[in-house]
Amino acid sequence: MLKVLFGRILTTIPALIGVVVVSFLLTRVLPGDTAAYFAGPAATPQAIEEVKKKLGLDRPLPEQFRRYVVDLSHGDLGQSLTTGQPVVADLKARLPASAELTLFGLILSLLIAVPLGILAAVKQGSFIDHACRAIATAGVSLPVFFTGLLLVYLFYFIWQISPAPLGRLDVFASAPPTVTGFYLIDSLLARDWEAFRSSLAQLALPGITLAIFSLAPIARITRASMLAVLSMDFVRTARASGLPARKVVMTYAFRNAMLPVITTLGMVFSFLLGANVLVEKVFAWPGVGSYAVEALIASDFAPVQGFVLAMAILYIALNLMIDLSYRLIDPRLESTT
Amino acid sequence: MSALLDVSGLTVEFATRRGIVKAVRQVDITVAKGETLGIVGESGSGKSVTSYAVMRILDRAGRIAEGAISFSGLELQDAPESQMVDLRGREMSMIFQNPRAALNPIRRVGEQIEDVLRQHAQAGSADAREKAIDALRQVRISRPEERYRAYPFELSGGMCQRVVIALALACRPKLLIADEPTTGLDVTTQKAVMDLIVELTRERGMSTILITHDLGLAATYCDRVVVMEKGEVVESAPAAEIFSAPKHPYTRKLVRATPRPGIALRDLLPDDRPAPPPQSAPVADAGAPLLTVSGLVKEYPRENGNIISRLLRPAQAQEAPFRAVDGISFEVRRGESVGLVGESGCGKSTTSMMLMRLLDPTEGMITFDGENIGAIPAKEFARNPMRSRIQMVFQDPTDSLNPRYTAARAIADPLLRFANHGLNLRSRVEELAQLVGLPLELLDRFPHQLSGGQKARVGIARAMALEPDLVVLDEPTAALDVSVQAVVLNLLADLKAKLGMSYLFVSHDLHVVRLVCDRVIVMRGGRIVEQGSAEQVLEAPKADYTRELIAAAPHPPVQGG
């Protein structure tokens, strides 16, 4: 297993190199001139030239790239011109917020979509099957910013059940001491129930928004995959040897049906990372999505590069985990490497 | 003897898109205690559906419309599901076709046996493991403690079937239903598995229902045989009588179509269609070698993991490559048909792929009509004029046809690539269809609108389209019912006589090979064990392995036709 892990990590290296190159080039071809933006609207051409020189933007591209890579190897992603902070510090502060939100949404979605998909497959053509289809279609056809606003309107404005959609904690609570950066976990570790309740309340609406969006693919794949497995020979053997329906469905069918679901999970996670940008805007969530968008609008290269790189690493890490979990589920894969 | 299972007036309906289909109509079957009953029929005869109805494991769309199923005094046709769950696996159990698929691929086989034992309270958590290992031992699995931890993919097909039998017999049921338990297994494995089933069930005084398409197998192992056709029972008789004195015309047809020793190819066909033996057209320089294979070797590198682990490992640590074909030599003469026989993994398919020039040999020569075609890379052979002279008929008539091509388009495929442009394509296709006995009105149908036999004819017509000199037939009838097989085999013999081709007939069925081949090559482990004239190899085999193969093939009780 360790050898496999090591091998897999090695194979991610080319992908990472690609990401570094692409993120660098991408920010260079984007329209907008950083120097002009920071020199201000009234700046003279000389002033812009000066800023350019200061930022190193007057050098040829290979030279700029070399510098970028050298800095990167020291863990330096550059300076954000809008916040004035090192990009690494900004990401460190904001990434956990985004990760917490995305994971919360994903887990919530899994808890609803997987049982729904299983039920829909077991009782094919029944009410629950049609309900599953309706919910999934509705969820995926509503854009996240719309769902988000609708939820805020209903739960905050009309019914006043949830707190104001402003950030990760309500104004009176204080953040728990940082261990993982996830407020839910940190507050539990610190036994700070007030902070836990508050962060959960803040997380609920954006989390549900993301969950509604991601229900569809997970429920659909679970249903399709379960249907395929339920018609397989070994399920018939299990039934013919008198195993009860529950055991047949869960132990025999579902474990086999999990592989495609997990594959979809990786894709859904990347959709959610994209959807995050909008949700963070709607809920004033201090995550990396909104940070990156602001930087992009300001033609601020360094944070955009940092964001793309961080997301790529996250995605590669996730895929690595998915790959490894395949092996845990399916013994056939283990013997091939 | 009292009846253990009594099925009377059973009718099973399936709700399909085209309305209700009665898959089984008014079936009466009785199984006495300790009796072995064979249910024989071709595909679509309703034999499996009957057994699923008894177990009450029909698909969602199927239901028992009429009739009664009485099992040791219990009425099963409308027993509650909870009672059925209790009975299945404990009182009545089932083993299936395709044993590897019948086991959960990601659960250890021991655990799967434990699941059944625990479900029926035959074992608690303390002794479940012990009892599961014991169940494996009962089916003669060597080193059962080790096998307990194995996954199905780590076991051979025969071993998997033993595990399925262990699973079915773990709770000592009174009735065992075996649904095509040996289809897809090699003959020697088939014999071992059938002997085991019969021995274990006799020992325990169990009743057995053997469902099979193979009349010979049923007659060999069963006390009584029930023949089903299109959802109805047409005949029920003691096994010895079914071969010697079949009463129903359908049974007679089945008996005749079953390949067996001592008959000629024409004997497979029903009486009412007498045909003269194939008249050989004079073949130019008949007997001259057409294809000569010498020292043919195919090696496959062993799995070495991904690029990185291969780079990390020193070169000398890599294992020797696997030799799928290990230095074989033989020849096929003009107008001759040569049988290539062996069990799975013996290298017969690899050999035929190399002769077809779809695979490059590692070593050796393939000389076809004086030219070493083995030297032409497989990738380029498709463009070589020699391509049209060697054609193939594939094993699965369904999978080897493009589902989006009509029959006519499929037959025309090689013509479009190779024939000269002046040709009238449609008339040539119609000519070929007539040659293989495919009704012309079927030419515009798609594969899913054709029967198995019709699809086989399309495949054969396609192979004949370019008038090849050599046709490689890769188990061309393995997926067909016996009555269809009889017709197709005769068709192939007629075509060969008419067109003067040579055949290389790859098969695992010795009875079939005896009927169609002039010479036989027996392979095992990539090597040729024996070769000679069909008569000599099959009647007086020299190699032990050939003798073993012949002994393992089921011997229907009555010889001749």
Side-chain angles (χ1 to χ4, degrees):
Chain A
M1 195 74 189
L2 257 175
K3 218 174 106 188
V4 172
L5 183 69
F6 181 65
R8 286 292 141 130
I9 290 174
L10 282 182
T11 55
T12 60
I13 289 173
L16 282 175
I17 293 173
V19 169
V20 169
V21 175
V22 169
S23 67
F24 174 82
L25 289 177
L26 207 62
T27 48
R28 294 306 186 268
V29 298
L30 286 176
D33 187 343
T34 320
Y37 186 85
F38 281 94
T44 57
Q46 284 92 338
I48 294 176
E49 213 45 50
E50 200 108 318
V51 177
K52 240 183 199 165
K53 194 164 269 175
K54 211 177 91 196
L55 295 174
L57 292 175
D58 55 336
R59 311 280 170 92
L61 268 189
E63 167 69 14
Q64 288 186 39
F65 182 67
R66 198 190 55 80
R67 275 204 193 181
Y68 171 60
V69 173
V70 169
D71 287 347
L72 194 64
S73 62
H74 297 116
D76 181 4
L77 287 172
Q79 202 86 14
S80 164
L81 297 174
T82 27
T83 62
Q85 299 285 320
V87 173
V88 174
D90 278 342
L91 286 180
K92 227 183 229 169
R94 287 165 164 267
L95 196 56
S98 288
E100 184 173 32
L101 176 59
T102 310
L103 283 178
F104 183 78
L106 195 62
I107 290 170
L108 199 63
S109 165
L110 273 182
L111 289 179
I112 301 166
V114 169
L116 202 61
I118 295 177
L119 274 176
V122 173
K123 300 193 187 303
Q124 194 193 352
S126 70
F127 164 75
I128 191 113
D129 192 11
H130 296 303
C132 172
R133 188 173 307 135
I135 292 171
T137 312
V140 82
S141 15
L142 299 174
V144 276
F145 61 85
F146 175 75
T147 329
L149 285 175
L150 186 72
L151 290 177
V152 170
Y153 177 71
L154 291 176
F155 286 87
Y156 170 63
F157 188 71
I158 305 273
W159 297 324
Q160 304 194 342
I161 307 170
S162 69
L166 294 168
R168 303 176 74 185
L169 284 174
D170 70 61
V171 268
F172 304 110
S174 54
T178 305
V179 182
T180 58
F182 288 17
Y183 282 3
L184 281 182
I185 296 174
D186 286 352
S187 58
L188 276 183
L189 289 175
R191 296 177 200 286
D192 183 349
W193 306 119
E194 189 46 43
F196 181 75
R197 197 202 56 74
S198 166
S199 57
L200 188 61
Q202 294 286 351
L203 202 51
L205 289 191
I208 291 172
T209 309
L210 286 179
I212 288 176
F213 173 68
S214 57
L215 271 180
I218 301 177
R220 279 272 163 111
I221 292 289
T222 309
R223 176 177 179 274
S225 167
M226 278 300 282
L227 277 180
V229 173
L230 281 173
S231 68
M232 281 184 169
D233 287 1
F234 68 85
V235 170
R236 189 180 55 189
T237 313
R239 283 179 69 202
S241 41
L243 299 186
R246 206 190 138 74
K247 178 115 187 159
V248 173
V249 170
M250 296 313 297
T251 315
Y252 279 72
F254 180 60
R255 272 197 56 193
N256 276 284
M258 256 157 71
L259 286 181
V261 177
I262 289 175
T263 313
T264 325
L265 219 58
M267 286 190 311
V268 169
F269 188 79
S270 66
F271 296 159
L272 285 186
L273 286 179
N276 241 342
V277 175
L278 292 168
V279 176
E280 284 175 8
K281 275 281 172 210
V282 172
F283 291 91
W285 198 261
V288 284
S290 46
Y291 173 71
V293 169
E294 277 156 26
L296 195 61
I297 292 167
S299 301
D300 191 357
F301 287 164
V304 177
Q305 278 170 4
F307 170 78
V308 173
L309 200 60
M311 288 299 118
I313 292 172
L314 208 63
Y315 193 60
I316 288 171
L318 185 84
N319 274 302
L320 186 68
M321 268 160 58
I322 286 174
D323 237 30
L324 294 175
S325 64
Y326 278 1
R327 276 156 202 283
L328 289 181
I329 295 170
D330 194 337
R332 282 167 292 188
L333 291 171
E334 200 163 335
S335 65
T336 55
T337 316
Chain B
M1 283 200 291
S2 60
L4 176 70
L5 176 75
D6 187 24
V7 176
S8 58
L10 179 71
T11 300
V12 179
E13 292 179 347
F14 280 86
T16 68
R17 255 178 242 165
R18 291 184 194 164
I20 299 222
V21 173
K22 289 190 176 174
V24 168
R25 281 186 304 270
Q26 295 294 326
V27 162
D28 301 311
I29 285 171
T30 326
V31 184
K33 249 182 208 138
E35 186 186 34
T36 303
L37 175 77
I39 302 183
V40 179
E42 297 187 298
S43 48
S45 63
K47 55 194 194 301
S48 291
V49 170
T50 306
S51 64
Y52 292 172
V54 170
M55 295 286 284
R56 289 269 310 278
I57 53 169
L58 288 166
D59 290 347
R60 211 187 306 269
R63 69 180 193 93
I64 298 173
E66 273 175 65
I69 303 167
S70 154
F71 175 75
S72 61
L74 297 165
E75 297 300 318
L76 300 187
Q77 70 277 7
D78 37 31
E81 178 63 19
S82 59
Q83 191 186 355
M84 289 312 299
V85 165
D86 206 36
L87 284 177
R88 285 182 211 133
R90 189 166 61 91
E91 296 292 324
M92 55 205 300
S93 57
M94 195 155 178
I95 53 185
F96 300 92
Q97 193 175 348
N98 195 356
R100 204 187 302 275
L103 292 169
N104 187 342
I106 59 169
R107 203 165 168 76
R108 297 182 194 282
V109 295
E111 287 172 342
Q112 299 189 41
I113 298 175
E114 270 187 29
D115 286 338
V116 180
L117 286 168
R118 286 187 204 202
Q119 175 59 31
H120 297 298
Q122 304 281 315
S125 32
D127 57 349
R129 189 191 149 86
E130 199 59 38
K131 288 201 170 159
I133 291 175
D134 193 51
L136 289 174
R137 192 174 292 125
Q138 303 258 335
V139 293
R140 317 274 144 68
I141 286 181
S142 54
R143 291 175 290 148
E145 290 86 357
E146 229 170 277
R147 301 283 189 235
Y148 171 91
R149 297 187 53 76
Y151 290 100
F153 74 92
E154 297 170 315
L155 304 174
S156 67
M159 195 77 94
C160 280
Q161 192 58 292
R162 281 166 200 261
V163 173
V164 176
I165 295 170
L167 197 75
L169 299 185
C171 299
R172 300 188 163 259
K174 294 196 191 94
L175 174 68
L176 176 72
I177 302 176
D179 185 4
E180 303 270 10
T182 57
T183 307
L185 298 181
D186 285 326
V187 271
T188 49
T189 319
Q190 160 168 304
K191 184 172 189 323
V193 165
M194 282 314 302
D195 287 349
L196 180 73
I197 292 177
V198 167
E199 190 190 323
L200 289 178
T201 51
R202 291 245 161 92
E203 205 172 85
R204 298 170 187 204
M206 287 169 56
S207 308
T208 311
I209 298 178
L210 172 68
I211 296 166
T212 177
H213 66 281
D214 186 341
L215 197 55
L217 188 75
T220 312
Y221 287 98
C222 298
D223 304 321
R224 210 152 51 80
V225 174
V226 167
V227 180
M228 284 184 77
E229 184 198 15
K230 292 178 189 150
E232 286 174 46
V233 171
V234 295
E235 185 163 358
S236 167
E241 280 171 32
I242 210 103
F243 254 88
S244 56
K247 290 190 194 74
H248 193 273
Y250 179 72
T251 318
R252 275 204 289 276
K253 186 174 145 199
L254 269 189
V255 168
R256 283 187 71 93
T258 303
R260 55 204 183 278
I263 58 158
L265 191 54
R266 286 294 187 239
D267 295 331
L268 295 177
L269 296 172
D271 323 298
D272 53 331
R273 261 197 276 166
Q279 291 301 319
S280 296
V283 178
D285 50 338
L290 175 68
L291 176 87
T292 311
V293 173
S294 61
L296 194 65
V297 172
K298 180 67 190 174
E299 288 182 343
Y300 287 105
R302 309 243 179 208
E303 261 316 314
N304 274 326
N306 58 17
I307 295 167
I308 285 139
S309 59
R310 235 173 299 169
L311 287 177
L312 293 178
R313 193 178 315 161
Q316 61 269 28
Q318 289 179 8
E319 291 169 80
F322 169 70
R323 288 202 153 193
V325 173
D326 193 2
I328 61 169
S329 307
F330 62 89
E331 61 175 34
V332 178
R333 300 187 197 111
R334 283 184 190 274
E336 182 186 44
S337 78
V338 174
L340 194 57
V341 180
E343 297 189 298
S344 49
C346 74
K348 59 185 192 296
S349 296
T350 311
T351 306
S352 66
M353 293 283 276
M354 283 192 284
L355 301 187
M356 275 304 291
R357 299 306 300 115
L358 297 171
L359 204 61
D360 283 322
T362 312
E363 273 172 45
M365 302 252 287
I366 304 170
T367 314
F368 181 81
D369 201 13
E371 190 180 337
N372 180 14
I373 57 167
I376 305 168
K379 263 187 258 173
E380 284 161 31
F381 197 74
R383 283 188 296 276
N384 195 293
M386 285 281 194
R387 170 77 290 162
S388 62
R389 300 181 59 191
I390 310 175
Q391 294 287 307
M392 187 161 185
V393 176
F394 299 90
Q395 176 165 9
D396 191 317
T398 308
D399 283 355
S400 57
L401 293 179
N402 185 335
R404 302 184 53 153
Y405 280 180
T406 61
R409 177 68 181 77
I411 296 171
D413 209 25
L415 294 172
L416 289 170
R417 286 185 63 89
F418 279 100
N420 37 359
H421 295 286
L423 182 87
N424 183 341
L425 202 62
R426 183 70 193 189
S427 69
R428 174 68 180 140
V429 167
E430 286 182 359
E431 200 182 308
L432 284 163
Q434 265 159 2
L435 190 68
V436 298
L438 184 73
L440 294 185
E441 63 269 23
L442 298 182
L443 275 178
D444 293 314
R445 292 205 188 167
F446 288 94
H448 69 271
Q449 297 165 316
L450 299 172
S451 73
Q454 289 161 351
K455 279 182 276 199
R457 285 175 201 268
V458 174
I460 293 168
R462 180 176 56 182
M464 303 299 162
L466 295 171
E467 298 182 337
D469 296 317
L470 175 68
V471 179
V472 176
L473 302 152
D474 184 10
E475 307 255 12
T477 58
L480 301 175
D481 280 327
V482 275
S483 58
V484 184
Q485 166 175 289
V487 177
V488 170
L489 290 177
N490 275 286
L491 169 69
L492 286 170
D494 289 341
L495 285 174
K496 186 174 90 99
K498 205 179 287 174
L499 305 175
M501 296 167 287
S502 303
Y503 283 161
L504 184 72
F505 193 96
V506 181
S507 180
H508 68 282
D509 191 331
L510 290 167
H511 291 316
V512 170
V513 168
R514 185 198 309 256
L515 292 175
V516 291
C517 295
D518 306 318
R519 280 196 309 121
V520 176
I521 298 168
V522 183
M523 279 186 77
R524 183 188 203 183
R527 291 178 190 207
I528 292 177
V529 177
E530 183 166 3
Q531 57 178 318
S533 75
E535 208 162 295
Q536 177 208 324
V537 171
L538 294 167
E539 303 301 334
K542 287 197 204 76
D544 291 342
Y545 179 67
T546 316
R547 267 195 285 272
E548 199 183 312
L549 273 185
I550 293 169
H555 290 275
V558 179
Q559 307 272 307

